[in-house]
Amino acid sequence: MEKCLNCGKTVLIKTCFGNNTLCKTCDSLINASSWNKREFVSMDELLEKKNNALQLAKTNNISEAVTNAVEKYFDEYIREGFVTAINGRAGQMLKVFENYCIVNTKSESAQTSLVNMFYQFDADDDDDDDEVLTADDKLNLAKGVLRGGLIKTGIGVAMSVGLKQSAKEQQAEKKERAREKKLEKLIKVGDKKLNFKDYCDVETYSKVNTANGYLKFVPNGVKAEELYECDYFFFNNSIPFESKKIKQKVENVKKVLEEKIENAAIKEKEEKKKIVQEVEKKEEI
């Protein structure tokens, strides 16, 4: 059984932050359950909760071990340059830092839900509505009628249609295999860290009267159309009276992400230039 870091008693109902455990009573003394998941929406909120927790610890004579652990727990995010966070669909959360962001998917059930959402918007890009009988096929049939060779032309067109249908089915099977193969990479349970230097763009997808929207992170060297090579954060687009506010917040986060990605690219370019200059300088000596 685990023991409380503050009072040392065996814990029956616990609150954890990092590798630290508190009993329910000691949790209430510093209000740990309100910040232990570090789901802050801004640096201002983080600092406010940190100061409140430390003040409560002082007022309630919390042990030095707990006080130090609390300060360290908050300072981890401060050192990493925490910027903002936003809640998404199925319990997902996006946390933005100075040089990277984290997409958190809380459970396997949430992963399944998000996979189903991905299938829904992926289906919008399918070519299922394409006509198997093309304009050229129709023209050939018309010419065959005029020339009196309808049967012969019809056989030729039928063979063409059959081949196209077979190719289309093979393409659909190939796409489905690609889906199954890359789902684990696409939506990972737990924290998925995305370093800004590895990405070239972030896009927003949202449709009116649909429940799903997403931010799509496009890696360097990948086209946005290559859906399974990108990373995603899903947000809710269907909450009554809240959708407009959510979409505005998503757009604000998107602007921050675009700025971070651009800055990372500039920094990467400058670092490479510096390395080249240092090499050239050594060669001159």
Side-chain angles (χ1 to χ4, degrees), residues 56-74:
L56 286 171
K58 183 178 180 180
T59 301
N60 293 303
N61 296 316
I62 294 296
S63 69
E64 185 178 353
V66 173
T67 301
N68 291 338
V70 170
E71 191 159 15
K72 181 180 178 182
Y73 193 64
F74 281 98

Side-chain angles (χ1 to χ4, degrees), residues 22-34:
L22 294 177
C23 66
K24 185 177 179 181
T25 300
C26 293
D27 164 15
S28 66
L29 294 176
I30 56 174
N31 202 19
S33 56
S34 71

Side-chain angles (χ1 to χ4, degrees), residues 28 51 58 61 91 94 104 119-120 181 184 232 255:
S28 66
N51 292 333
K58 183 178 180 180
N61 296 316
L94 173 67
N104 176 268
Y119 276 163
Q120 289 172 18
K181 185 178 180 181
E184 184 177 348
Y232 298 85
K255 289 179 182 178

Side-chain angles (χ1 to χ4, degrees), residues 114-126:
L114 294 167
V115 166
N116 291 334
M117 292 178 201
F118 181 84
Y119 276 163
Q120 289 172 18
F121 76 72
D122 187 16
D124 293 340
D125 297 323
D126 287 343

Side-chain angles (χ1 to χ4, degrees), residues 1-5 8-12 14-16 19-23:
M1 297 289 288
E2 294 182 71
K3 294 187 179 297
C4 176
L5 180 63
K9 294 180 180 178
T10 300
V11 176
L12 298 177
K14 65 180 181 179
T15 297
C16 297
N19 297 320
N20 307 294
T21 301
L22 294 177
C23 66

Side-chain angles (χ1 to χ4, degrees), residues 155-281:
I155 293 173
V157 170
M159 290 180 64
S160 174
V161 169
L163 289 171
K164 289 174 184 175
Q165 182 62 33
S166 177
K168 187 175 181 180
E169 290 173 356
Q170 290 178 5
Q171 184 64 26
E173 290 177 3
K174 184 178 179 181
K175 187 171 185 177
E176 184 59 31
R177 287 196 297 272
R179 284 173 169 168
E180 293 174 358
K181 185 178 180 181
K182 296 181 178 180
L183 282 178
E184 184 177 348
K185 173 188 174 184
L186 184 72
I187 302 171
K188 175 185 175 183
V189 176
D191 286 344
K192 190 171 187 179
K193 185 176 179 180
L194 311 180
N195 291 306
F196 293 134
K197 66 182 180 63
D198 297 329
Y199 293 82
C200 61
D201 196 13
V202 58
E203 296 184 355
T204 307
Y205 175 98
S206 179
K207 284 187 176 181
V208 179
N209 299 323
T210 61
N212 304 326
Y214 65 78
L215 285 170
K216 176 166 65 177
F217 296 84
V218 184
N220 295 326
V222 171
K223 296 179 181 178
E225 293 76 16
E226 297 173 3
L227 299 178
Y228 288 91
E229 299 302 321
C230 300
D231 292 292
Y232 298 85
F233 168 72
F234 293 84
F235 60 90
N236 198 328
N237 192 38
S238 63
I239 302 175
F241 310 111
E242 290 291 324
S243 292
K244 187 175 181 180
K245 187 186 295 184
I246 291 171
K247 284 160 67 174
Q248 182 60 53
K249 185 169 184 178
V250 169
E251 285 299 323
N252 291 339
V253 171
K254 179 176 179 284
K255 289 179 182 178
V256 172
L257 292 168
E258 287 174 333
E259 180 185 340
K260 299 298 181 187
I261 289 172
E262 183 179 358
N263 290 343
I266 293 171
K267 184 178 179 181
E268 185 88 352
K269 188 176 181 179
E270 289 175 347
E271 288 177 352
K272 288 181 179 179
K273 184 178 179 181
K274 185 177 179 181
I275 292 173
V276 171
Q277 289 174 341
E278 288 177 353
V279 171
E280 290 175 346
K281 188 176 180 180

